[in-house]
């Protein structure tokens, strides 16, 4: 029997997931989408051949509901879904900071909920998706979530208590790298390079470094030491990074992201 999957609130991440599932062999006939605007829903129909429905129709029809709305919109969506979600539906939440327990409280007793934090590299099939089970989710539910999110990258199971830390590291993580590339590009311009050449140099260096981290099995300290010659250019740069507290700033930044995730879970908006 085919399994119908509905992506609710299909923005950029939802569309990336939808596209990845289709490339992974999911039949378009088994994929439903909801969107706030009718023209957006019709755009998804035309682009992917999927079926636009209302949130209530998705809850009644799909076997798996993937909630891709922003955290501040989750409450309203759950209020809309609650009367229509039977206990045999799998609900997958991709909203930062929203716990499985808080979702379970809003739905029919016994509904299995899985929490997933993915990131924007889903757009290029290089996502890091972190998966945690709610109190009613089984190993089969987790495996099903892994199958879905595995279509756009790598997955990792963690206890839900680690989700806020994972949100800080990988959920928000791409932004830190983009910020670093932006700063390094400005430095390249200051050093006399045209912007396009500085950009190409930095992006390829980043791709190469990430590939080495992934494939070499070496600790990042060892890889850094391999580039750092005595009294050379790299150690001079590293000294300046340490003098300016870059390491401490990164740690503080990730702690701030973790804390904000906890605030979202508590319902703090500002």
């Amino acid at each position: 029997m085919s399994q119908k999957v509905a992506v609710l609130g299909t923005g950029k991440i939802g569309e990336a997931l939808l596209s990845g599932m289709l490339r992974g062999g999911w039949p378009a006939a088994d994929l439903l989408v909801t969107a706030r605007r009718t023209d957006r829903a019709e755009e998804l129909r035309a682009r992917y051949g999927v079926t636009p429905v209302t949130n209530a129709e998705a809850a009644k029809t799909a076997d798996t509901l993937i909630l891709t709305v922003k955290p501040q919109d989750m409450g309203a969506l759950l209020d809309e879904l609650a009367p229509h979600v039977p206990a045999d539906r799998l609900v997958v939440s991709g909203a930062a900071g929203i716990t499985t327990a808080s979702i379970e409280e809003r739905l029919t007793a016994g509904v299995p909920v899985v929490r997933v934090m993915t990131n924007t590299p889903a757009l290029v099939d290089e996502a890091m998706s972190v998966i945690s089970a709610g109190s009613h989710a089984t190993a089969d539910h987790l495996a099903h979530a892994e199958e879905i999110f595995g279509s756009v990258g790598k997955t990792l199971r963690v206890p839900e208590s680690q989700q806020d830390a994972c949100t800080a590291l990988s959920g928000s993580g791409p932004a830190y790298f983009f910020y670093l590339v932006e700063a390094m590009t400005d430095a390249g311009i200051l050093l006399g390079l045209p912007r396009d050449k500085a950009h190409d140099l930095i992006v390829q260096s980043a791709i190469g470094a990430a590939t080495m981290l992934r494939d070499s099995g070496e600790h990042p300290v060892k890889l850094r030491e391999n580039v750092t010659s005595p009294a050379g250019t790299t150690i001079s740069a590293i000294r300046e990074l340490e003098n300016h507290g870059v390491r401490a700033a990164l740690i503080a930044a990730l702690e701030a992201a973790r804390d904000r995730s906890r605030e979202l879970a508590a319902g703090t908006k500002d």
Side-chain angles (χ1 to χ4, degrees):
M1 183 181 296
S2 63
Q3 290 281 314
K4 289 192 177 295
V5 176
V7 181
L8 281 67
T10 314
K12 288 184 179 180
I13 291 293
E15 183 176 357
L17 185 59
L18 185 71
S19 177
M21 291 175 69
L22 288 166
R23 289 192 300 277
W26 291 77
D30 290 340
L31 299 177
L32 311 175
V33 296
T34 78
R36 182 172 296 178
R37 303 190 326 272
T38 302
D39 60 332
R40 170 63 173 164
E42 290 304 318
E43 176 187 328
L44 293 167
R45 184 205 297 270
R47 185 174 298 167
Y48 300 108
V50 297
T51 304
V53 294
T54 66
N55 290 327
E57 289 170 340
K60 296 174 185 177
T61 307
D63 301 286
T64 300
L65 307 175
I66 304 175
L67 315 184
T68 64
V69 298
K70 291 180 171 58
Q72 57 268 33
D73 297 326
M74 183 62 77
L77 177 59
L78 291 173
D79 286 343
E80 188 177 353
L81 293 176
H84 309 290
V85 179
D88 62 350
R89 295 290 186 265
L90 171 61
V91 175
V92 179
S93 169
I98 305 298
T99 65
T100 58
S102 68
I103 295 173
E104 290 166 355
E105 289 173 358
R106 307 283 286 272
L107 300 176
T108 302
V111 170
V113 179
V114 171
R115 179 175 171 183
V116 180
M117 173 48 59
T118 191
N119 57 18
T120 56
L123 297 167
V124 292
D125 292 347
E126 290 291 349
M128 182 70 251
S129 300
V130 184
I131 298 175
S132 303
S135 60
H136 306 297
T138 67
D140 286 343
H141 293 132
L142 288 174
H144 186 51
E146 287 175 330
E147 182 183 9
I148 292 171
F149 283 85
S151 65
V152 291
K154 186 175 180 179
T155 64
L156 178 68
R157 294 188 193 184
V158 300
E160 189 171 7
S161 60
Q162 296 176 0
Q163 273 281 354
D164 291 328
C166 292
T167 297
L169 248 65
S170 65
S172 300
Y176 315 145
F177 290 101
F178 299 147
Y179 183 86
L180 180 61
V181 168
E182 178 187 0
M184 291 176 69
T185 301
D186 287 343
I189 295 169
L190 179 66
L191 296 174
L193 292 171
R195 178 176 293 276
D196 59 340
K197 287 186 172 58
H199 176 82
D200 289 347
L201 287 167
I202 294 161
V203 169
Q204 184 55 40
S205 296
I207 292 170
T211 302
M212 290 178 71
L213 280 167
R214 184 190 64 192
D215 296 346
S216 70
E218 296 281 3
H219 193 281
V221 170
K222 176 64 175 176
L223 294 174
R224 177 179 61 77
E225 288 176 345
N226 290 342
V227 188
T228 309
S229 303
T233 59
T234 305
I235 192 60
S236 295
I238 295 294
R239 180 185 63 185
E240 288 303 312
L241 291 173
E242 294 292 352
N243 286 343
H244 286 80
V246 172
R247 185 187 303 268
L250 281 171
I251 293 171
L254 267 67
E255 286 181 325
R258 186 270 320 272
D259 293 346
R260 181 55 180 156
S261 184
R262 290 175 175 173
E263 290 172 355
L264 289 170
T268 304
K269 295 183 178 180
D270 299 322

